């Protein structure tokens, strides 16, 4: 296949990131990347930089709606300053039970994925909006969906099935797992020596952890929605269902409809809980570490809970994998927070995880385990756009 410009679109609840690659089967070269951030505010950010990091666009526009935000991106890409994309890859968090494979996007496919908005309510609305707009604004250019759930398709039924009545399972309620493109990118970067028993901890503002056997996902912490699993920036993680019922009943006392009460509960569980909820201060690890240095006991408790939950998941995954060859930290906290990595690993010596404190005293790609550690411990930044480009090139060739 000849080398083609491939555009990657990756939307979050208040941002749209994009990058343009020149790619064929064997090589992928990044040409540009950019983002619009702060959608819904008067002071958004819009920037584009080239592969050397030189800023080509650096603006602070008002971004009242996602329509305004995406138009800025589309106008820039149509300006003639950048190669016109020959294909577009869209990151999609969850396509529901019927859309599990990366594939060509049609309007029918978008409608089908939109039916399952409830499984990723913060991500799906903007992602499907951008897919529709991309089909309209880039006519004739093939668009492909790349799902975060795709990597987790190999999990066995005993892992994916939820202990609920069959009528709800039949509606697609099951464990899907998220951050799949990040996990895929770690396995990709470890090739050709992917360890047989691998655990990857993706610790960002959203956090999850996966057990990977021979390069395939065996288990992951997130469930039906990204709110499940380990505690993260603003999400509860797994929690006694009775807690949610208690909060729901409290909310319902002052709310007019059941659906308004459910919406409020969703905000509590996914935007006000986690590190933010426990610390009462911030969901940002850097701020929490600063507060801990100032003696803030609630910040200490929030980080301790984060560390404790992750260590517990690592322990259960080591049991599931029958041992461990490698633990990888990734995501903003995994790559940068030296103390979090040290605290997680401090109690895991019995599982064969031993850090070298000096090697751990670093940010970015590194091996941080001691020479005599039975399991290697590494830090590897994710390369999600590269994985999306690879899928697009593969699908174009089919
Ligand atoms: P998202 O899930 O939004 O992609 P990121 O992967 O960017 O999140 O991670 C954001 C988290 O990483 C925040 O909690 C932030 O405090 C933390 N982080 C980023 N840089 C550092 C750093 N230098 N030291 C400690 N934590 C950091």
């Amino acid at each position: 296949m000849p080398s083609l410009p491939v555009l990657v679109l990756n939307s979050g609840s208040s941002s749209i990131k994009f990058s343009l690659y020149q790619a064929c089967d064997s090589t992928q070269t990044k040409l540009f990347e950019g983002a619009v951030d702060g959608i819904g505010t008067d002071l958004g950010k819009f920037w584009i930089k080239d592969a050397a990091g030189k800023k080509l666009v650096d603006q602070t526009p008002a971004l009242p709606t996602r329509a305004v935000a995406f138009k800025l991106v589309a106008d820039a890409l149509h300006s003639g300053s950048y190669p016109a994309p020959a294909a577009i890859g869209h990151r999609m968090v969850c396509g529901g039970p019927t859309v599990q494979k990366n594939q060509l996007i049609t309007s029918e496919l978008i409608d089908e994925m939109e039916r399952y908005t409830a499984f990723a309510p913060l991500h799906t609305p903007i992602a499907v909006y951008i897919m529709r707009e991309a089909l309209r604004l880039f006519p004739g250019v093939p668009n492909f969906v790349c799902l975060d759930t795709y990597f987790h398709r190999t999990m066995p039924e005993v892992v994916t099935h939820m202990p609920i009545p069959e009528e709800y399972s039949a509606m697609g309620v099951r464990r899907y797992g998220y951050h799949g493109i990040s996990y895929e990118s770690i396995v990709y970067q470890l090739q050709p020596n992917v360890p047989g028993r691998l655990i990857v901890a993706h610790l960002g503002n959203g956090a999850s952890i996966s057990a990977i056997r021979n390069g395939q996902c065996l288990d992951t912490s997130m469930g039906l929605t990204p709110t499940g699993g380990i505690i993260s920036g603003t999400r509860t993680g797994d929690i006694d269902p009775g807690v949610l019922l208690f909060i729901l009943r409290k909310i319902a006392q002052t709310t007019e409809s059941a659906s308004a009460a459910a919406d409020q509960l969703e905000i509590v569980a996914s935007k006000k809980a986690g590190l933010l909820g426990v610390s009462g201060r911030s969901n940002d690890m850097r701020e929490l570490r600063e507060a801990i240095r100032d003696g803030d006991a609630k910040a200490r408790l929030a980080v301790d809970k984060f560390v404790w939950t992750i260590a517990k998941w690592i322990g259960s995954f080591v049991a599931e994998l029958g041992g461990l060859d490698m633990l990888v930290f990734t995501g903003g906290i995994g790559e940068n927070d030296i103390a979090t990595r040290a605290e997680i690993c401090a109690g895991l010596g019995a599982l064969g995880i031993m850090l070298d404190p000096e090697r751990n005293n670093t940010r970015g790609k590194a091996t941080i385990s001691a020479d005599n550690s039975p399991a290697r411990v590494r830090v590897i930044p994710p390369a999600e756009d590269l994985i999306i480009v690879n899928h697009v090139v593969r699908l174009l060739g089919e």
Side-chain angles (χ1 to χ4, degrees), residues 4-11 16-23 28-36 46-51 70 73 77 82-91 138 383-390 392:
L4 299 167
V6 175
L7 173 67
V8 175
L9 292 173
N10 183 348
S11 49
I16 304 166
K17 293 183 192 150
F18 58 97
S19 57
L20 194 67
Y21 279 73
Q22 188 70 31
Q28 313 86 6
T29 311
K30 193 194 280 181
L31 304 176
F32 302 100
E33 64 179 324
V36 267
F46 175 41
W47 58 267
I48 301 179
K49 56 188 181 190
D50 66 14
F70 188 59
V73 178
L77 291 168
Y82 312 96
I88 303 176
H90 295 253
R91 177 185 173 218
F138 297 88
E384 291 162 304
D385 287 1
L386 194 63
I387 295 299
I388 295 175
V389 169
N390 285 346
V392 168

Short mmCIF file of all heavy atoms in Angstrom, two decimals, residues 4-11 16-23 28-36 46-51 70 73 77 82-91 138 383-390 392:
data_model
loop_
_atom_site.label_atom_id
_atom_site.label_comp_id
_atom_site.label_asym_id
_atom_site.label_seq_id
_atom_site.Cartn_x
_atom_site.Cartn_y
_atom_site.Cartn_z
N LEU A 4 0.09 7.09 2.93
CA LEU A 4 -1.06 8.00 2.86
C LEU A 4 -1.14 8.86 4.12
O LEU A 4 -0.76 8.40 5.20
CB LEU A 4 -2.36 7.19 2.78
CG LEU A 4 -2.56 6.25 1.60
CD1 LEU A 4 -3.74 5.32 1.88
CD2 LEU A 4 -2.81 7.08 0.35
N PRO A 5 -1.70 10.08 4.00
CA PRO A 5 -1.95 10.86 5.22
C PRO A 5 -3.18 10.31 5.96
O PRO A 5 -4.24 10.16 5.36
CB PRO A 5 -2.25 12.28 4.70
CG PRO A 5 -1.97 12.25 3.24
CD PRO A 5 -2.04 10.82 2.78
N VAL A 6 -3.00 9.97 7.22
CA VAL A 6 -4.09 9.43 8.03
C VAL A 6 -4.33 10.36 9.21
O VAL A 6 -3.40 10.69 9.95
CB VAL A 6 -3.75 8.01 8.55
CG1 VAL A 6 -4.84 7.50 9.49
CG2 VAL A 6 -3.55 7.05 7.39
N LEU A 7 -5.58 10.79 9.35
CA LEU A 7 -5.95 11.69 10.45
C LEU A 7 -6.52 10.86 11.60
O LEU A 7 -7.36 9.98 11.38
CB LEU A 7 -7.01 12.68 9.94
CG LEU A 7 -7.65 13.61 10.97
CD1 LEU A 7 -6.64 14.60 11.53
CD2 LEU A 7 -8.84 14.36 10.35
N VAL A 8 -6.09 11.16 12.84
CA VAL A 8 -6.63 10.50 14.03
C VAL A 8 -7.42 11.54 14.83
O VAL A 8 -6.92 12.62 15.10
CB VAL A 8 -5.49 9.93 14.90
CG1 VAL A 8 -6.05 9.36 16.20
CG2 VAL A 8 -4.72 8.86 14.14
N LEU A 9 -8.67 11.20 15.16
CA LEU A 9 -9.51 12.08 15.98
C LEU A 9 -9.84 11.38 17.29
O LEU A 9 -10.32 10.25 17.29
CB LEU A 9 -10.81 12.42 15.23
CG LEU A 9 -10.64 13.29 13.99
CD1 LEU A 9 -11.97 13.41 13.24
CD2 LEU A 9 -10.13 14.69 14.36
N ASN A 10 -9.57 12.07 18.39
CA ASN A 10 -9.72 11.47 19.71
C ASN A 10 -10.41 12.48 20.62
O ASN A 10 -9.80 13.45 21.04
CB ASN A 10 -8.31 11.13 20.24
CG ASN A 10 -8.36 10.43 21.58
OD1 ASN A 10 -9.40 10.37 22.24
ND2 ASN A 10 -7.22 9.91 21.99
N SER A 11 -11.71 12.27 20.87
CA SER A 11 -12.45 13.29 21.62
C SER A 11 -12.65 12.88 23.07
O SER A 11 -12.87 11.71 23.37
CB SER A 11 -13.80 13.51 20.96
OG SER A 11 -14.44 12.28 20.74
N ILE A 16 -11.01 17.91 21.92
CA ILE A 16 -10.84 17.08 20.72
C ILE A 16 -9.36 17.13 20.39
O ILE A 16 -8.80 18.20 20.13
CB ILE A 16 -11.64 17.64 19.51
CG1 ILE A 16 -13.12 17.79 19.86
CG2 ILE A 16 -11.47 16.72 18.28
CD1 ILE A 16 -13.90 18.65 18.85
N LYS A 17 -8.71 15.96 20.44
CA LYS A 17 -7.30 15.89 20.05
C LYS A 17 -7.23 15.31 18.65
O LYS A 17 -8.06 14.46 18.29
CB LYS A 17 -6.53 14.98 21.01
CG LYS A 17 -6.43 15.52 22.41
CD LYS A 17 -5.60 14.58 23.26
CE LYS A 17 -5.73 14.95 24.73
NZ LYS A 17 -5.58 13.84 25.61
N PHE A 18 -6.24 15.73 17.89
CA PHE A 18 -6.09 15.17 16.55
C PHE A 18 -4.61 15.09 16.19
O PHE A 18 -3.79 15.83 16.73
CB PHE A 18 -6.87 16.00 15.52
CG PHE A 18 -6.47 17.44 15.45
CD1 PHE A 18 -5.58 17.88 14.49
CD2 PHE A 18 -6.97 18.37 16.35
CE1 PHE A 18 -5.20 19.22 14.42
CE2 PHE A 18 -6.60 19.70 16.31
CZ PHE A 18 -5.72 20.13 15.34
N SER A 19 -4.31 14.17 15.28
CA SER A 19 -2.94 14.09 14.78
C SER A 19 -2.99 13.57 13.35
O SER A 19 -3.93 12.87 12.96
CB SER A 19 -2.08 13.18 15.66
OG SER A 19 -2.65 11.91 15.75
N LEU A 20 -2.01 13.98 12.58
CA LEU A 20 -1.94 13.58 11.17
C LEU A 20 -0.64 12.82 10.95
O LEU A 20 0.44 13.32 11.31
CB LEU A 20 -1.98 14.83 10.29
CG LEU A 20 -2.26 14.59 8.81
CD1 LEU A 20 -3.67 14.07 8.60
CD2 LEU A 20 -2.09 15.89 8.02
N TYR A 21 -0.77 11.62 10.44
CA TYR A 21 0.39 10.76 10.18
C TYR A 21 0.53 10.51 8.69
O TYR A 21 -0.46 10.52 7.96
CB TYR A 21 0.20 9.39 10.85
CG TYR A 21 0.51 9.35 12.33
CD1 TYR A 21 -0.34 9.95 13.25
CD2 TYR A 21 1.65 8.72 12.80
CE1 TYR A 21 -0.06 9.91 14.61
CE2 TYR A 21 1.94 8.68 14.15
CZ TYR A 21 1.08 9.27 15.06
OH TYR A 21 1.37 9.22 16.39
N GLN A 22 1.75 10.27 8.24
CA GLN A 22 1.99 9.73 6.90
C GLN A 22 2.28 8.26 7.15
O GLN A 22 3.23 7.93 7.86
CB GLN A 22 3.19 10.46 6.27
CG GLN A 22 3.44 10.16 4.81
CD GLN A 22 2.37 10.76 3.90
OE1 GLN A 22 1.80 11.80 4.19
NE2 GLN A 22 2.07 10.07 2.81
N ALA A 23 1.43 7.37 6.61
CA ALA A 23 1.55 5.97 7.04
C ALA A 23 1.35 4.98 5.90
O ALA A 23 0.58 5.21 4.97
CB ALA A 23 0.51 5.68 8.13
N GLN A 28 5.09 4.66 10.05
CA GLN A 28 4.10 5.69 10.43
C GLN A 28 4.90 6.89 10.92
O GLN A 28 5.62 6.77 11.90
CB GLN A 28 3.19 5.21 11.57
CG GLN A 28 2.60 3.82 11.42
CD GLN A 28 3.55 2.73 11.92
OE1 GLN A 28 4.60 2.99 12.49
NE2 GLN A 28 3.18 1.49 11.69
N THR A 29 4.77 8.02 10.22
CA THR A 29 5.51 9.21 10.62
C THR A 29 4.52 10.30 11.00
O THR A 29 3.66 10.66 10.20
CB THR A 29 6.38 9.72 9.45
OG1 THR A 29 7.09 8.60 8.93
CG2 THR A 29 7.35 10.79 9.90
N LYS A 30 4.66 10.81 12.23
CA LYS A 30 3.74 11.88 12.65
C LYS A 30 4.12 13.18 11.95
O LYS A 30 5.30 13.57 11.96
CB LYS A 30 3.80 12.05 14.16
CG LYS A 30 2.64 12.92 14.67
CD LYS A 30 2.85 13.40 16.08
CE LYS A 30 2.51 12.36 17.10
NZ LYS A 30 2.70 12.85 18.48
N LEU A 31 3.13 13.86 11.34
CA LEU A 31 3.39 15.14 10.68
C LEU A 31 2.99 16.30 11.59
O LEU A 31 3.75 17.25 11.77
CB LEU A 31 2.59 15.23 9.37
CG LEU A 31 2.81 14.10 8.34
CD1 LEU A 31 1.88 14.29 7.15
CD2 LEU A 31 4.26 14.07 7.89
N PHE A 32 1.77 16.22 12.14
CA PHE A 32 1.25 17.30 12.98
C PHE A 32 0.40 16.71 14.09
O PHE A 32 -0.13 15.61 13.96
CB PHE A 32 0.33 18.22 12.16
CG PHE A 32 0.98 18.82 10.98
CD1 PHE A 32 0.78 18.29 9.71
CD2 PHE A 32 1.82 19.92 11.12
CE1 PHE A 32 1.40 18.84 8.60
CE2 PHE A 32 2.45 20.47 10.01
CZ PHE A 32 2.24 19.93 8.76
N GLU A 33 0.27 17.47 15.16
CA GLU A 33 -0.75 17.12 16.15
C GLU A 33 -1.32 18.41 16.72
O GLU A 33 -0.70 19.48 16.61
CB GLU A 33 -0.17 16.26 17.28
CG GLU A 33 0.86 16.94 18.11
CD GLU A 33 1.37 16.05 19.24
OE1 GLU A 33 0.58 15.27 19.80
OE2 GLU A 33 2.56 16.15 19.56
N GLY A 34 -2.53 18.29 17.29
CA GLY A 34 -3.14 19.48 17.84
C GLY A 34 -4.32 19.13 18.71
O GLY A 34 -4.64 17.96 18.90
N ALA A 35 -4.96 20.17 19.26
CA ALA A 35 -6.11 19.93 20.13
C ALA A 35 -6.94 21.20 20.27
O ALA A 35 -6.42 22.32 20.13
CB ALA A 35 -5.64 19.48 21.51
N VAL A 36 -8.22 21.01 20.48
CA VAL A 36 -9.07 22.09 21.01
C VAL A 36 -9.49 21.61 22.39
O VAL A 36 -9.97 20.50 22.55
CB VAL A 36 -10.34 22.37 20.17
CG1 VAL A 36 -10.12 23.45 19.16
CG2 VAL A 36 -10.88 21.13 19.53
N PHE A 46 -6.66 26.33 21.40
CA PHE A 46 -6.57 25.64 20.10
C PHE A 46 -5.12 25.75 19.65
O PHE A 46 -4.59 26.85 19.53
CB PHE A 46 -7.50 26.32 19.09
CG PHE A 46 -7.39 25.76 17.69
CD1 PHE A 46 -7.26 24.39 17.46
CD2 PHE A 46 -7.41 26.61 16.58
CE1 PHE A 46 -7.16 23.88 16.18
CE2 PHE A 46 -7.32 26.11 15.29
CZ PHE A 46 -7.18 24.74 15.09
N TRP A 47 -4.49 24.61 19.47
CA TRP A 47 -3.08 24.63 19.06
C TRP A 47 -2.81 23.51 18.07
O TRP A 47 -3.49 22.49 18.05
CB TRP A 47 -2.14 24.54 20.26
CG TRP A 47 -2.34 23.32 21.11
CD1 TRP A 47 -3.12 23.21 22.22
CD2 TRP A 47 -1.75 22.01 20.91
NE1 TRP A 47 -3.07 21.93 22.72
CE2 TRP A 47 -2.24 21.17 21.94
CE3 TRP A 47 -0.87 21.48 19.98
CZ2 TRP A 47 -1.87 19.83 22.06
CZ3 TRP A 47 -0.50 20.13 20.09
CH2 TRP A 47 -1.00 19.34 21.12
N ILE A 48 -1.82 23.77 17.23
CA ILE A 48 -1.31 22.73 16.33
C ILE A 48 0.21 22.86 16.36
O ILE A 48 0.74 23.98 16.35
CB ILE A 48 -1.80 22.94 14.87
CG1 ILE A 48 -3.34 22.92 14.81
CG2 ILE A 48 -1.23 21.85 13.95
CD1 ILE A 48 -3.91 23.14 13.40
N LYS A 49 0.91 21.73 16.44
CA LYS A 49 2.37 21.81 16.33
C LYS A 49 2.87 20.76 15.37
O LYS A 49 2.21 19.72 15.15
CB LYS A 49 3.05 21.75 17.69
CG LYS A 49 2.76 20.57 18.53
CD LYS A 49 3.39 20.77 19.92
CE LYS A 49 3.13 19.58 20.80
NZ LYS A 49 3.46 19.74 22.17
N ASP A 50 4.03 21.02 14.81
CA ASP A 50 4.58 20.05 13.85
C ASP A 50 5.36 18.96 14.60
O ASP A 50 5.45 18.98 15.83
CB ASP A 50 5.43 20.75 12.78
CG ASP A 50 6.69 21.39 13.34
OD1 ASP A 50 7.06 21.07 14.49
OD2 ASP A 50 7.32 22.20 12.64
N ALA A 51 5.93 18.02 13.82
CA ALA A 51 6.58 16.86 14.44
C ALA A 51 7.76 17.26 15.32
O ALA A 51 8.11 16.56 16.27
CB ALA A 51 7.02 15.88 13.36
N PHE A 70 -15.17 21.74 16.74
CA PHE A 70 -14.77 20.85 15.65
C PHE A 70 -14.63 21.61 14.33
O PHE A 70 -13.81 21.24 13.49
CB PHE A 70 -15.75 19.68 15.50
CG PHE A 70 -15.23 18.65 14.52
CD1 PHE A 70 -14.01 18.03 14.73
CD2 PHE A 70 -15.94 18.33 13.37
CE1 PHE A 70 -13.50 17.10 13.83
CE2 PHE A 70 -15.43 17.40 12.46
CZ PHE A 70 -14.21 16.79 12.70
N VAL A 73 -11.13 22.78 13.91
CA VAL A 73 -10.23 21.70 13.48
C VAL A 73 -10.42 21.45 11.98
O VAL A 73 -9.44 21.40 11.21
CB VAL A 73 -10.52 20.40 14.27
CG1 VAL A 73 -9.63 19.26 13.79
CG2 VAL A 73 -10.31 20.63 15.77
N LEU A 77 -7.77 21.97 8.86
CA LEU A 77 -7.34 20.86 8.01
C LEU A 77 -7.68 21.09 6.54
O LEU A 77 -7.04 20.55 5.65
CB LEU A 77 -7.97 19.55 8.50
CG LEU A 77 -7.41 19.07 9.85
CD1 LEU A 77 -8.27 17.96 10.43
CD2 LEU A 77 -5.96 18.59 9.71
N TYR A 82 -2.01 21.76 5.37
CA TYR A 82 -1.69 20.39 5.79
C TYR A 82 -2.14 19.43 4.70
O TYR A 82 -3.11 19.72 3.98
CB TYR A 82 -2.41 20.05 7.11
CG TYR A 82 -2.24 21.13 8.14
CD1 TYR A 82 -3.22 22.12 8.32
CD2 TYR A 82 -1.09 21.18 8.92
CE1 TYR A 82 -3.05 23.13 9.25
CE2 TYR A 82 -0.91 22.19 9.85
CZ TYR A 82 -1.89 23.17 10.01
OH TYR A 82 -1.71 24.17 10.92
N PRO A 83 -1.48 18.26 4.57
CA PRO A 83 -1.93 17.29 3.56
C PRO A 83 -3.37 16.86 3.85
O PRO A 83 -3.74 16.67 5.01
CB PRO A 83 -0.98 16.11 3.75
CG PRO A 83 0.14 16.60 4.59
CD PRO A 83 -0.34 17.79 5.36
N ALA A 84 -4.18 16.73 2.79
CA ALA A 84 -5.57 16.31 2.98
C ALA A 84 -5.59 14.85 3.42
O ALA A 84 -4.89 14.01 2.82
CB ALA A 84 -6.34 16.47 1.68
N PRO A 85 -6.34 14.50 4.49
CA PRO A 85 -6.34 13.10 4.94
C PRO A 85 -6.95 12.17 3.89
O PRO A 85 -7.96 12.49 3.28
CB PRO A 85 -7.18 13.13 6.21
CG PRO A 85 -7.92 14.40 6.21
CD PRO A 85 -7.17 15.37 5.35
N ALA A 86 -6.31 11.00 3.72
CA ALA A 86 -6.85 9.98 2.81
C ALA A 86 -7.76 9.03 3.58
O ALA A 86 -8.54 8.29 2.98
CB ALA A 86 -5.71 9.20 2.17
N ALA A 87 -7.63 9.02 4.90
CA ALA A 87 -8.49 8.19 5.75
C ALA A 87 -8.48 8.80 7.15
O ALA A 87 -7.54 9.52 7.51
CB ALA A 87 -7.98 6.76 5.81
N ILE A 88 -9.55 8.52 7.91
CA ILE A 88 -9.66 9.07 9.27
C ILE A 88 -9.94 7.94 10.24
O ILE A 88 -10.80 7.09 9.99
CB ILE A 88 -10.81 10.13 9.34
CG1 ILE A 88 -10.57 11.25 8.32
CG2 ILE A 88 -10.93 10.70 10.75
CD1 ILE A 88 -11.69 12.28 8.23
N GLY A 89 -9.22 7.93 11.37
CA GLY A 89 -9.46 6.95 12.43
C GLY A 89 -10.03 7.67 13.64
O GLY A 89 -9.49 8.68 14.07
N HIS A 90 -11.14 7.15 14.17
CA HIS A 90 -11.79 7.76 15.34
C HIS A 90 -11.63 6.86 16.54
O HIS A 90 -11.96 5.68 16.48
CB HIS A 90 -13.30 7.91 15.10
CG HIS A 90 -13.66 8.84 14.01
ND1 HIS A 90 -14.19 10.08 14.25
CD2 HIS A 90 -13.57 8.72 12.67
CE1 HIS A 90 -14.43 10.69 13.09
NE2 HIS A 90 -14.06 9.89 12.12
N ARG A 91 -11.17 7.44 17.67
CA ARG A 91 -11.18 6.66 18.90
C ARG A 91 -12.61 6.66 19.44
O ARG A 91 -13.26 7.70 19.51
CB ARG A 91 -10.26 7.28 19.93
CG ARG A 91 -10.33 6.52 21.22
CD ARG A 91 -9.54 7.16 22.32
NE ARG A 91 -9.80 6.48 23.57
CZ ARG A 91 -9.90 7.10 24.74
NH1 ARG A 91 -9.76 8.40 24.83
NH2 ARG A 91 -10.13 6.40 25.83
N PHE A 138 -15.71 15.75 5.36
CA PHE A 138 -14.65 15.13 4.55
C PHE A 138 -15.29 14.09 3.62
O PHE A 138 -15.03 12.89 3.75
CB PHE A 138 -13.60 14.47 5.45
CG PHE A 138 -12.86 15.44 6.34
CD1 PHE A 138 -13.35 15.78 7.59
CD2 PHE A 138 -11.67 16.02 5.92
CE1 PHE A 138 -12.67 16.69 8.41
CE2 PHE A 138 -10.99 16.92 6.72
CZ PHE A 138 -11.49 17.26 7.97
N ALA A 383 1.04 4.88 23.28
CA ALA A 383 1.15 5.45 21.93
C ALA A 383 -0.16 5.14 21.20
O ALA A 383 -0.21 4.35 20.26
CB ALA A 383 2.34 4.84 21.21
N GLU A 384 -1.25 5.77 21.70
CA GLU A 384 -2.59 5.40 21.22
C GLU A 384 -2.82 5.77 19.76
O GLU A 384 -3.41 4.99 19.00
CB GLU A 384 -3.64 6.05 22.12
CG GLU A 384 -3.64 5.43 23.51
CD GLU A 384 -4.31 6.28 24.56
OE1 GLU A 384 -3.90 7.45 24.72
OE2 GLU A 384 -5.24 5.79 25.21
N ASP A 385 -2.33 6.96 19.36
CA ASP A 385 -2.57 7.39 17.97
C ASP A 385 -1.93 6.43 16.97
O ASP A 385 -2.49 6.13 15.92
CB ASP A 385 -2.02 8.80 17.74
CG ASP A 385 -2.89 9.85 18.43
OD1 ASP A 385 -3.87 9.45 19.07
OD2 ASP A 385 -2.58 11.05 18.31
N LEU A 386 -0.75 5.96 17.35
CA LEU A 386 -0.03 5.02 16.47
C LEU A 386 -0.86 3.75 16.25
O LEU A 386 -0.94 3.22 15.13
CB LEU A 386 1.29 4.68 17.14
CG LEU A 386 2.34 4.00 16.31
CD1 LEU A 386 2.77 4.90 15.17
CD2 LEU A 386 3.55 3.67 17.20
N ILE A 387 -1.49 3.27 17.30
CA ILE A 387 -2.32 2.05 17.19
C ILE A 387 -3.51 2.33 16.28
O ILE A 387 -3.88 1.50 15.44
CB ILE A 387 -2.78 1.60 18.61
CG1 ILE A 387 -1.57 1.18 19.43
CG2 ILE A 387 -3.83 0.50 18.54
CD1 ILE A 387 -0.79 0.02 18.87
N ILE A 388 -4.12 3.51 16.43
CA ILE A 388 -5.28 3.83 15.58
C ILE A 388 -4.83 3.89 14.11
O ILE A 388 -5.49 3.35 13.22
CB ILE A 388 -5.93 5.16 16.05
CG1 ILE A 388 -6.51 4.96 17.45
CG2 ILE A 388 -7.01 5.62 15.06
CD1 ILE A 388 -7.09 6.21 18.10
N VAL A 389 -3.68 4.53 13.87
CA VAL A 389 -3.15 4.59 12.49
C VAL A 389 -2.93 3.18 11.95
O VAL A 389 -3.31 2.87 10.82
CB VAL A 389 -1.84 5.42 12.46
CG1 VAL A 389 -1.15 5.27 11.12
CG2 VAL A 389 -2.13 6.88 12.75
N ASN A 390 -2.34 2.31 12.76
CA ASN A 390 -2.10 0.93 12.31
C ASN A 390 -3.40 0.23 11.93
O ASN A 390 -3.46 -0.50 10.94
CB ASN A 390 -1.38 0.12 13.39
CG ASN A 390 0.08 0.49 13.49
OD1 ASN A 390 0.62 1.14 12.60
ND2 ASN A 390 0.73 0.09 14.57
N VAL A 392 -6.19 1.67 10.97
CA VAL A 392 -6.73 2.29 9.75
C VAL A 392 -6.01 1.72 8.51
O VAL A 392 -6.66 1.33 7.53
CB VAL A 392 -6.59 3.83 9.81
CG1 VAL A 392 -6.88 4.45 8.45
CG2 VAL A 392 -7.54 4.41 10.86
#
